Amino acid sequence: MFRPAWIEIDLGALRTNFKRIRRFVGSKVKIIATIKQSAYGHGLIPVATQLHRLGVDFFGVGGLDEAIKLREERLKEPILVLSPTSSNFAKYFVEYDVRPTVVSMDFARALNREAAKRNVRFPVHIKIDTGMGRLGLYYKDAYRFIKEVSRLKSLSLEGIFTHFPAADIDPEFTNHQISVFNAFVSKLKGQGIRFLYQHCANSMGVLKYRHCHFNMVRPGLILYGIRPQPHIPLKVEPMLSLKSKIIFLKKIQKGRSVSYARTYIARRPTLIGTVAIGYADGYPWSLSGRKTLRGISQAKVIVQDSFFNVVGRVCMDHIMIDLKRRTDIGVGQEVILIGKKKGLEVTASDLAKWAHTISYEIVSRLSFRIPRIYNK
Ligand SMILES: *Cc1c(COP(=O)(O)O)cnc(C)c1O
């Protein structure tokens, strides 16, 4: 590790979070651990392996590539690919025993043919749209489609699901989605079309809408210990810390500038530390210090026992921090970009707020050029 930038992943925190979620939803509700995009940047295989030890019921992944990686690691849990896939790849679902998300007749028929060839009844999950407006037929148009899929002899209807676009901000809309989903599933049941599992709940659904747990939930964010909102009814522990070191230090005089575009001009003599982390690592360029209506917006880092501000523009491989009058900080000193120390904490959600983005984007874009170190 020549470049001092690394990510520490606490698998113990994953154990704590998973157990708390399990207790929160109760033992009758199955958990699909949502580990798409390399477990939100935490690393697909280490996270999946830990969840396997904890007795997770299902994995939810972003694509077939991730599903196949899990199978190659001999993880035997059922896997659901949460996105639709081109019909050309139907055979791989059957070959690797991976549940597909079905949103078209074309794909359903391709899967049915592959399953028939191998003489199996192949489980599928159908996604319907109750307000996300993204994948799946709108529930009002989905009935005939599902009826048609149900006639395919080599497929079995294992799951029906939908997704919430606004569970964190719009309870009225979310409750409406839950009730139309419920009514739709009942209508299907009335026609003899039954699914083993019904699932809707992302992290917010798990936390704030107990009546939408049905018999399966799909948490992502809270597994990793990131809160979708500041106040949630479950305590979770962050798994990920992003750390680097000071690689250069210099005193600068009043009036001198720091970094591209010279947006930062020292108003007093100060000590500037250069830290080996940048936007190529996924530390967003939008964390560059900039003037706002309310003054200067600055991201914070933790060094020793204090917060310090990021000053000037974030560079590809570097940031600069204002160490003020500190004389006890030297080259090689650890800098915490995400994580906690001595009662101080910077969370992925803090970075998201400062960068005008969401915590999901912060963690899922942390570059895999940064080594991940796993602690049990
Ligand atoms: C990502 C995702 C989830 C998990 O969402 P969180 O908000 O991270 O809990 C659940 N369901 C689907 C379909 C997803 O794509």
Side-chain angles (χ1 to χ4, degrees):
M1 199 166 79
F2 297 115
R3 189 167 168 265
W6 70 99
I7 289 171
E8 292 170 13
I9 305 273
D10 181 357
L11 293 171
L14 177 59
R15 183 187 321 117
T16 305
N17 298 336
F18 182 81
K19 285 184 174 170
R20 285 181 189 159
I21 296 166
R22 178 70 94 196
R23 206 173 315 133
F24 193 82
V25 299
S27 58
K28 294 202 183 86
V29 175
K30 302 268 189 222
I31 298 177
I32 304 186
T34 304
I35 55 172
K36 63 185 185 232
Q37 171 42 30
S38 298
Y40 293 33
H42 293 67
L44 184 71
I45 299 304
V47 167
T49 304
Q50 175 74 324
L51 288 163
H52 160 80
R53 290 194 197 105
L54 295 166
V56 72
D57 303 296
F58 257 73
F59 290 120
V61 298
L64 253 184
D65 51 337
E66 289 186 326
I68 291 172
K69 281 184 194 155
L70 297 179
R71 288 292 179 249
E72 285 172 347
E73 288 293 320
R74 313 219 170 283
L75 291 160
K76 300 270 163 55
E77 283 77 7
I79 302 170
L80 173 62
V81 170
L82 293 164
S83 240
T85 312
S86 158
S87 303
N88 300 337
F89 304 126
K91 71 170 184 191
Y92 297 109
F93 285 92
V94 183
E95 185 177 330
Y96 287 94
D97 186 23
V98 174
R99 271 78 169 158
T101 287
V102 173
V103 293
S104 77
M105 220 36 234
D106 186 44
F107 187 39
R109 287 199 194 94
L111 290 162
N112 188 57
R113 277 193 300 276
E114 294 298 330
K117 269 190 217 164
R118 285 162 200 261
N119 228 346
V120 291
R121 270 202 95 199
F122 192 66
V124 300
H125 290 230
I126 293 179
K127 184 165 199 179
I128 59 165
D129 177 13
T130 57
M132 176 76 184
R134 186 177 62 177
L135 302 166
L137 289 179
Y138 196 57
Y139 71 98
K140 288 184 178 165
D141 312 319
Y143 178 70
R144 279 182 52 196
F145 165 66
I146 293 176
K147 184 130 194 134
E148 218 175 316
V149 177
S150 75
R151 292 202 187 101
L152 297 173
K153 291 279 182 312
S154 298
L155 299 186
S156 78
L157 299 178
E158 186 178 70
I160 183 161
F161 71 109
T162 193
H163 195 41
F164 299 144
D168 49 345
I169 50 173
D170 195 339
E172 193 182 323
F173 187 76
T174 308
N175 281 319
H176 175 72
Q177 284 188 277
I178 298 167
S179 66
V180 299
F181 180 74
N182 233 333
F184 187 70
V185 170
S186 302
K187 177 178 163 190
L188 290 170
K189 210 184 268 177
Q191 302 291 316
I193 302 176
R194 283 164 195 279
F195 291 82
L196 190 54
Y197 300 119
Q198 298 89 46
H199 48 102
C200 308
N202 58 355
S203 292
M204 269 318 274
V206 167
L207 295 168
K208 294 265 171 98
Y209 305 82
R210 281 187 171 273
H211 57 297
C212 83
H213 292 179
F214 300 102
N215 56 359
M216 189 170 248
V217 293
R218 301 190 308 268
L221 207 62
I222 52 175
L223 278 174
Y224 310 106
I226 302 170
R227 287 171 295 173
Q229 263 182 2
H231 301 289
I232 57 171
L234 185 74
K235 203 168 167 312
V236 291
E237 315 292 338
M239 284 179 70
L240 182 147
S241 307
L242 173 63
K243 298 184 180 176
S244 182
K245 286 184 177 171
I246 294 177
I247 57 167
F248 195 79
L249 271 178
K250 79 178 129 203
K251 286 189 179 140
I252 67 167
Q253 299 308 314
K254 180 178 167 188
R256 277 172 46 191
S257 60
V258 172
S259 199
Y260 292 113
R262 306 187 61 231
T263 56
Y264 174 82
I265 310 279
R267 287 205 202 145
R268 47 179 164 69
T270 191
L271 180 64
I272 298 290
T274 301
V275 183
I277 200 87
Y279 59 77
D281 298 298
Y283 193 81
W285 182 83
S286 52
L287 291 175
S288 298
R290 72 199 119 77
K291 292 196 182 78
T292 68
L293 291 175
R294 276 188 241 140
I296 296 176
S297 132
Q298 279 166 319
K300 288 181 185 11
V301 303
I302 303 168
V303 184
Q304 287 191 352
D305 50 3
S306 313
F307 288 119
F308 294 96
N309 290 328
V310 173
V311 293
R313 292 265 167 99
V314 172
C315 307
M316 192 180 291
D317 298 332
H318 302 112
I319 58 170
M320 273 64 79
I321 57 176
D322 181 1
L323 294 163
K324 300 177 180 163
R325 287 165 205 280
R326 290 290 284 255
T327 51
D328 57 332
I329 291 174
V331 168
Q333 176 71 53
E334 184 177 285
V335 177
I336 300 178
L337 294 313
I338 300 175
K340 55 181 156 188
K341 188 174 180 184
K342 297 198 174 150
L344 305 180
E345 184 170 19
V346 176
T347 63
S349 307
D350 291 329
L351 288 199
K353 192 175 66 192
W354 299 329
H356 297 281
T357 179
I358 52 176
S359 53
Y360 300 82
E361 187 177 51
I362 296 291
V363 288
S364 69
R365 292 184 78 167
L366 289 173
S367 165
F368 275 88
R369 81 168 174 166
I370 314 177
R372 268 78 171 157
I373 298 164
Y374 292 89
N375 304 317
K376 293 271 150 57

